[in-house]
Amino acid sequence: GSGAIGGVVNVITKKRQNPYWFDSGFKYDNPIGITPSINAGFNKGIFNYNLNFQYTESNGYDLTPNEGEYNMTLDQNKSNIFNHILSVSPSDKHDYQFVYKDYSSNISRYDYFGGSLVLGAPFNKYDDKYSKIKYGYKISSNQNFKISYLKEEYLKYSYYPYYYSDNQHIFDPEEFLNGSLDREELNMQYNKEGTKYERLIGLESYKEGYSSFNIYDSGGIMLQESIFEAEDLTKNDDNLSLYFYEERNFQNNRILSAGLRIQNLNEENILLP
């Protein structure tokens, strides 16, 4: 994708053919994390549904302990993932897929106050909601067309356990939105495979906006600054690009591949070989 700095490995698992399934797992890797998981779904006619849930919790660890200090190498943390995939295949030529993923996590910190170990501030909490709709059309045995639309909302919160009091033994919390990212993406792709070649042509459009906000204490003093030079601000970015890729297989399995991307078609063109 155009937002990938070092490349992306996209793993697409096969659809399960069982009428229904239910699997559970438990991974114990303390102090890195303890992870129970569930995978369930069904396969009925043109419908295939898969649900995956995973929860991870860790108490963290400290590789450099100092008496009287609390400076963890890995902070206490927990996270969970819900992933839903519904596929509908009314015929051999048409395939629809609906994906929804909900990820949330928080990182807890601690400190010493009055000789006691207490909650630190702030906690970082994250929430990521991702949805995608995809349609595939099989033109022929070696030609396919795909179109997909995705929307993602990523939120970062700061959580203060003692927001209204300087006494860290009095739990009086408050939570603030620190930053957010909204992204929409539309991708159309045509690919053709021959005995000695593979060709792909695509058109991609995305819009995204990143917002960052200042956080103040109850007295109006700034606790955290926005990344935009202490301004409550939203910055937007949009891009339209055309890309092309071809791979040729010569004798002795010598493979030649080439790709080209033309970015910012709605502004100034940039060629990326």
Side-chain angles (χ1 to χ4, degrees):
S2 60
I5 297 175
V8 168
V9 176
N10 186 25
V11 179
I12 302 174
T13 57
K14 291 182 179 180
K15 295 179 184 177
R16 298 180 69 159
Q17 300 302 316
N18 315 56
Y20 57 88
W21 58 90
F22 181 88
D23 302 316
S24 62
F26 184 83
K27 179 182 177 182
Y28 184 85
D29 190 12
N30 197 42
I32 302 298
I34 300 172
T35 306
S37 61
I38 293 174
N39 182 267
F42 66 86
N43 191 37
K44 179 71 172 176
I46 65 174
F47 298 99
N48 182 286
Y49 173 73
N50 193 79
L51 166 67
N52 180 261
F53 169 74
Q54 179 177 296
Y55 174 80
T56 301
E57 185 172 5
S58 171
N59 290 324
Y61 58 85
D62 188 4
L63 297 178
T64 57
N66 277 324
E67 187 176 349
E69 292 185 12
Y70 193 86
N71 186 21
M72 298 291 281
T73 305
L74 176 69
D75 286 313
Q76 179 181 337
N77 64 87
K78 56 185 176 182
S79 64
N80 60 72
I81 301 174
F82 280 96
N83 194 21
H84 307 261
I85 301 177
L86 173 64
S87 298
V88 183
S89 303
S91 70
D92 292 338
K93 287 184 172 292
H94 303 277
D95 184 73
Y96 302 85
Q97 189 178 76
F98 307 89
V99 179
Y100 178 75
K101 182 189 295 183
D102 190 345
Y103 167 81
S104 63
S105 70
N106 66 69
I107 301 173
S108 302
R109 296 186 176 90
Y110 293 85
D111 203 352
Y112 284 100
F113 178 80
S116 302
L117 189 63
V118 297
L119 292 169
F123 286 11
N124 288 333
K125 301 178 70 176
Y126 306 92
D127 189 23
D128 186 21
K129 289 182 171 59
Y130 171 96
S131 55
K132 182 177 182 179
I133 301 174
K134 182 179 178 181
Y135 167 69
Y137 176 65
K138 188 175 182 179
I139 302 172
S140 64
S141 60
N142 67 335
Q143 297 181 82
N144 292 280
F145 172 76
K146 299 176 182 178
I147 182 170
S148 63
Y149 169 79
L150 72 84
K151 181 175 177 60
E152 183 174 15
E153 182 183 40
Y154 177 81
L155 304 173
K156 177 184 177 183
Y157 297 93
S158 291
Y159 180 81
Y160 293 85
Y162 319 101
Y163 180 75
Y164 297 101
S165 173
D166 292 331
N167 187 343
Q168 295 187 22
H169 292 298
I170 302 175
F171 184 69
D172 199 355
E174 191 65 85
E175 183 177 277
F176 298 92
L177 179 62
N178 187 222
S180 66
L181 173 67
D182 293 289
R183 180 181 175 90
E184 291 183 82
E185 181 180 306
L186 180 66
N187 199 317
M188 292 183 288
Q189 192 177 100
Y190 165 82
N191 68 290
K192 182 177 181 181
E193 294 185 18
T195 55
K196 293 291 185 179
Y197 73 92
E198 180 179 346
R199 181 176 301 146
L200 183 149
I201 302 172
L203 182 68
E204 179 188 67
S205 173
Y206 75 80
K207 294 181 179 181
E208 65 180 19
Y210 185 79
S211 304
S212 184
F213 309 101
N214 296 319
I215 299 177
Y216 303 90
D217 67 12
S218 56
I221 298 174
M222 186 177 293
L223 295 173
Q224 291 189 66
E225 290 186 356
S226 159
I227 64 169
F228 300 127
E229 298 180 347
E231 287 188 61
D232 290 342
L233 196 63
T234 298
K235 290 194 175 183
N236 297 300
D237 179 35
D238 64 275
N239 184 283
L240 179 64
S241 59
L242 177 69
Y243 56 93
F244 170 84
Y245 173 82
E246 182 149 342
E247 187 175 283
R248 291 277 176 173
N249 192 338
F250 297 96
Q251 292 181 349
N252 300 321
N253 286 325
R254 290 185 174 90
I255 297 175
L256 175 66
S257 60
L260 180 69
R261 178 181 285 266
I262 306 173
Q263 291 193 167
N264 299 324
L265 293 176
N266 49 353
E267 295 178 9
E268 181 181 352
N269 291 349
I270 300 176
L271 296 179
L272 298 178

